Amino acid sequence: MKRILHLIALAVLGLFLQSCNSEEKGEKEKSGALAANAAERVYVAPGEHDEYYGFFSGGFSGQLSVYGLPSGRLLKVIPVFSQDAEKGYGYNEETKAMLNTSFGFVPWGDSHHPDISQTKGELDGRWVFINENNTPRIARIDLTTFETTEIIEVPNSAGNHSSSFVTENTEYVVAGTRFAVPSPQKDMPISEMKGNFKGPLTFISVHPETGRMNIEFQIAMPGFNYDLSHPGRNKSHGWFFFTTYNTEEAHSLLEVNASQNDKDYIAAINWKKIEEYVKNGGGEKIKAKYAHNVFDEHTQTATTTMKEEVVSVNPTDVPGAIYFLPIPKSPHGCDVDPSGEYIVGAGKLSADLTIHSFSKMLKAIEEENYAGEAYGVPVLDFEAVRAGSVKQAGLGPLHTEFDGKGNAYTTFFISSEVVKWKLDTWEVVDRKPTYYSVGHLMIPGGNSRKPFGKYLVAMNKITKDRYLPTGPEVNHSAQLYDISGEKMELLLDFPTVGEPHYAAGIEASIVKENSKKIYKLDENEHEHAVKNESEARVERNGNEVHVYMTMIRSHFAPDNIEGIKVGDKVYFHVTNLEQDYDVPHGIAMIGANTSEQLIMPGGTKTFIWEPKREGVWPFYCTDFCSALHQEMQGYVRVSAKNSNVPLTWGLGED
Ligand code: K7E
Ligand code: CUA
């Protein structure tokens, strides 16, 4: 009963805070001349381009959406962890393997934190990495094609949340477990969690030229929950920081039981030390079943390799590599400023924001200024490592970003605002409401040495009255602030896809010159590609039929096929012969249980159709490609299982 009362009290408090927010902030921010001025600053004239790309995670959509900033225009949704009927991703034979895992084919994911690759601590615009929480995976998206080209599963992990942040030269993309779990997994009583579960943190190397990922080692940390992480940079390059919560190691009713300790920890990991230890043969190979899926641009086909083991490192085996920094009250965000000196831990239940100092941390380590230890890992003295605190900044701090000009910006979920404060003096200099209940915020280049400190995007959890009502469901909302001046200015609201937790932004000029316009037909090494209409054909092999088809404005070759039988398995291998920018064709077959296939110029895709009934069944192009797009169609004649209609195909004959 006491527990229930406690919960009710929390709920009432939440409601109260929310309702007073919407009352006082529900009005429009600006009107008249002010609004016109804001409109001008986000206006990108027809035919002009945005200054920045913003890559927004899709949360429960599993995808990554690309927005232009400052306009807030949606440019593309890149399918990553979920099947996407629009693009055929995860439906065609070429990309199905991207969604393979040790649990089989998993067509959905929960994506949270995109991060852009870096060279010398600055964004280089080559790849975007993004994590999947639910069935732990990390994806790499190639920014020449804006397509997902690699997905690696993260074994022994669960709720892959403190992920996927990259080090200064993209040496590693890091993935930390949110849930403590038996590692490797095994059957055991939940109640025996404490001291027996582990919190593996995974370091995945990235090949400097190809981007290919490889799991180098896992650190078998104590069984806390590892919530967020960020790399050290500049002076702290070589270290990685992770916030923890549930250092109580509770396994039930965490909202109460994981809020007992006055302080949890930030884990500071000297990954260079551990890398060296592993290179010298340290660590232990443990069982770990996981899938590694790679899309080959030449064959345009993804393949899966199943792997069986990883190197696991016991934290106490590498003295001097791992420390805990105390941080008040269940921290969420873990953010490192551009200089690499300050580590901001946002205790969700704390009134103050705590900022730790990297140089003080080194000093405390040297002087062995310990407050204790946890599972053999030294806990540093809180005051010895603390740089300062931002006092009473707001309620429910979550995440912090930096503008590169000595300011930090922190989101407060409960008091629903973004608060700007100064590094070094820790004084609050501005605060602006968000509509409503902001989670992450993003400043393009925020996770780097060199933020582009012009705009800030707040990603809000609750939208309510900001747009025309659309039934019980209202899309999540993002808000764009101009942060070039002393005070933040709200310029724009725009709705988003799924639930963007975090986003990563970059100057468009770094990316757009590298963007591919077509796939070159003569570089297409797909095993079923047909590069010329004269090679189009149909082949039968038992009850398997392979249709080698081409598409060009405005016909398919062949467009009439006879001799298909009920019970056949028909593979359509379709090549788009176009070599012009932005001329995809699509293909859809009646009754096929895949999506349509949208095929880019010079590309090949395969889908399977299993005809169930006799008849003459049409197919057509799904993308309006020319004035005669509507004429881009064809027929397949399906006969009875035992019929002897010969296999024939053609185009333009009687
Ligand atoms: Cu704060 Cu998943 Cu980064 Cu959501 S997480 S907000
Ligand atoms: Cu091809 Cu429409």
Side-chain angles (χ1 to χ4, degrees):
M1 189 59 188
K2 205 169 148 203
R3 177 199 284 169
I4 290 170
L5 282 176
H6 179 76
L7 291 180
I8 290 172
L10 276 177
V12 169
L13 180 69
L15 273 179
F16 168 74
L17 287 166
Q18 217 164 65
S19 60
C20 71
N21 277 337
S22 22
E23 251 173 59
E24 89 197 25
K25 293 169 185 170
E27 330 130 31
K28 296 194 186 75
E29 174 83 350
K30 293 187 178 84
S31 56
L34 262 182
N37 176 270
E40 241 170 56
R41 284 145 70 194
V42 299
Y43 182 68
V44 176
E48 308 253 294
H49 292 166
D50 278 285
E51 193 179 348
Y52 295 95
Y53 283 109
F55 298 90
F56 288 64
S57 78
F60 42 70
S61 88
Q63 317 295 47
L64 180 70
S65 34
V66 187
Y67 285 84
L69 300 175
S71 72
R73 298 185 294 191
L74 176 62
L75 303 175
K76 186 172 194 172
V77 176
I78 302 172
V80 185
F81 297 112
S82 299
Q83 281 179 304
D84 181 352
E86 180 192 331
K87 299 187 170 65
Y89 180 84
Y91 288 98
N92 56 50
E93 296 305 296
E94 286 75 11
T95 56
K96 270 183 185 168
M98 292 301 283
L99 303 179
N100 284 341
T101 74
S102 63
F103 301 91
F105 180 74
V106 175
W108 170 83
D110 183 10
S111 58
H112 281 225
H113 306 124
D115 204 14
I116 298 169
S117 56
Q118 300 185 15
T119 304
K120 295 192 179 125
E122 294 180 17
L123 304 190
D124 62 25
R126 297 197 290 167
W127 309 298
V128 179
F129 298 88
I130 189 164
N131 63 322
E132 204 277 270
N133 278 304
N134 184 57
T135 304
R137 287 172 280 177
I138 301 286
R140 181 170 57 88
I141 290 103
D142 184 333
L143 288 184
T144 63
T145 56
F146 284 59
E147 287 174 10
T148 306
T149 51
E150 188 176 4
I151 295 182
I152 194 163
E153 191 178 351
V154 185
N156 301 329
S157 179
N160 173 37
H161 195 259
S162 38
S163 323
S164 51
F165 301 103
V166 302
T167 54
E168 284 220 321
N169 296 298
T170 322
E171 294 98 334
Y172 291 96
V173 52
V174 171
T177 195
R178 168 181 164 195
F179 299 103
V181 281
S183 173
Q185 275 290 358
K186 64 174 180 196
D187 173 15
M188 64 177 280
I190 299 170
S191 60
E192 290 171 18
M193 168 186 182
K194 200 165 186 158
N196 293 315
F197 285 13
K198 288 273 181 284
L201 307 178
T202 305
F203 283 68
I204 302 167
S205 64
V206 178
H207 189 280
E209 268 104 53
T210 62
R212 194 65 66 86
M213 298 187 281
N214 185 50
I215 296 181
E216 296 295 332
F217 53 86
Q218 293 191 315
I219 307 171
M221 295 290 284
F224 310 145
N225 291 31
Y226 295 81
D227 204 11
L228 272 154
S229 68
H230 266 97
R233 58 178 58 98
N234 264 322
K235 61 163 75 165
S236 53
H237 178 56
W239 290 77
F240 222 100
F241 304 95
F242 294 80
T243 41
T244 69
Y245 66 105
N246 194 22
T247 50
E248 295 85 350
E249 295 177 75
H251 55 81
S252 183
L253 196 68
L254 265 65
E255 72 174 322
V256 176
N257 295 330
S259 305
Q260 301 302 311
N261 290 349
D262 187 46
K263 294 194 178 66
D264 297 282
Y265 305 124
I266 286 178
I269 313 258
N270 186 331
W271 57 261
K272 282 212 165 149
K273 246 195 175 131
I274 295 175
E275 179 185 61
E276 199 184 294
Y277 171 76
V278 171
K279 275 199 180 125
N280 292 326
E284 179 200 351
K285 283 194 173 143
I286 62 166
K287 272 208 301 208
K289 200 173 173 210
Y290 66 102
H292 186 190
N293 311 322
V294 177
F295 186 83
D296 181 314
E297 205 185 287
H298 298 287
T299 63
Q300 304 198 352
T301 304
T303 47
T304 299
T305 315
M306 291 305 297
K307 306 217 167 143
E308 300 289 341
E309 55 182 26
V310 288
V311 174
S312 174
V313 175
N314 180 348
T316 53
D317 288 350
V318 196
I322 301 173
Y323 298 90
F324 287 130
L325 286 61
I327 195 97
K329 293 282 171 203
S330 304
H332 184 54
C334 181
D335 298 287
V336 179
D337 86 306
S339 76
E341 168 64 7
Y342 297 122
I343 305 132
V344 183
K348 302 184 292 276
L349 305 175
S350 164
D352 301 335
L353 266 179
T354 304
I355 299 95
H356 285 321
S357 151
F358 177 70
S359 34
K360 283 184 149 187
M361 179 190 97
L362 291 186
K363 187 156 174 274
I365 291 170
E366 205 185 295
E367 293 170 355
E368 300 192 2
N369 199 342
Y370 302 152
E373 53 92 35
Y375 294 104
V377 175
V379 177
L380 298 172
D381 180 75
F382 177 66
E383 285 303 335
V385 293
R386 190 174 71 97
S389 299
V390 184
K391 296 275 178 211
Q392 307 282 336
L395 293 174
L398 293 185
H399 300 283
T400 300
E401 293 258 300
F402 309 89
D403 62 7
K405 294 177 250 172
N407 302 301
Y409 302 75
T410 300
T411 54
F412 290 84
F413 179 81
I414 299 173
S415 53
S416 196
E417 58 191 337
V418 179
V419 173
K420 175 180 178 181
W421 50 276
K422 278 207 168 344
L423 291 162
D424 295 328
T425 66
W426 325 118
E427 61 187 314
V428 171
V429 289
D430 190 25
R431 60 176 70 238
K432 280 285 178 309
T434 58
Y435 306 95
Y436 308 91
S437 300
V438 59
H440 273 275
L441 74 172
M442 179 274 276
I443 292 173
N447 174 37
S448 79
R449 283 190 191 196
K450 204 180 114 198
F452 308 95
K454 187 165 173 186
Y455 298 111
L456 178 158
V457 182
M459 284 153 271
N460 304 311
K461 301 297 180 190
I462 295 168
T463 307
K464 284 192 191 171
D465 50 13
R466 300 302 285 181
Y467 309 117
L468 279 177
T470 48
E473 196 206 3
V474 188
N475 263 11
H476 283 234
S477 181
Q479 293 182 297
L480 182 85
Y481 297 81
D482 183 327
I483 55 165
S484 56
E486 186 64 14
K487 300 281 175 195
M488 296 177 271
E489 282 179 85
L490 177 59
L491 301 181
L492 181 73
D493 279 18
F494 60 97
T496 53
V497 179
E499 177 177 353
H501 287 261
Y502 189 43
I506 185 168
E507 228 164 38
S509 61
I510 302 173
V511 173
K512 74 178 178 191
E513 300 313 322
N514 301 329
S515 185
K516 267 214 169 95
K517 307 264 189 301
I518 57 165
Y519 294 105
K520 289 197 185 121
L521 203 53
D522 52 19
E523 289 173 10
N524 179 337
E525 289 166 24
H526 190 292
E527 60 171 329
H528 300 301
V530 173
K531 299 190 187 174
N532 199 304
E533 249 178 42
S534 61
E535 293 163 26
R537 64 196 186 274
V538 183
E539 290 171 0
R540 174 179 285 284
N541 179 6
N543 73 337
E544 259 189 24
V545 178
H546 291 265
V547 177
Y548 297 88
M549 183 181 269
T550 63
M551 48 193 354
I552 197 160
R553 278 162 288 182
S554 298
H555 60 268
F556 295 97
D559 67 357
N560 280 203
I561 300 169
E562 301 200 357
I564 304 295
K565 298 176 203 171
V566 172
D568 280 349
K569 190 171 187 181
V570 184
Y571 289 77
F572 284 85
H573 308 289
V574 190
T575 301
N576 181 348
L577 298 178
E578 304 281 356
Q579 291 287 269
D580 279 344
Y581 186 29
D582 200 25
V583 189
H585 295 282
I587 179 168
M589 182 77 222
I590 187 170
N593 60 6
T594 65
S595 70
E596 59 88 43
Q597 298 303 317
L598 192 65
I599 306 171
M600 295 305 126
T604 303
K605 291 280 182 272
T606 302
F607 71 98
I608 295 172
W609 179 53
E610 296 178 84
K612 300 284 186 305
R613 302 204 290 273
E614 293 162 39
V616 176
W617 306 104
F619 60 92
Y620 68 98
C621 174
T622 47
D623 184 298
F624 205 107
C625 49
S626 73
L628 296 175
H629 152 80
Q630 211 66 349
E631 280 75 6
M632 195 167 169
Q633 62 183 57
Y635 289 109
V636 178
R637 174 182 172 190
V638 177
S639 307
K641 216 181 179 81
N642 54 4
S643 98
N644 45 25
V645 176
L647 188 66
T648 57
W649 61 92
L651 166 73
E653 304 119 26
D654 287 323

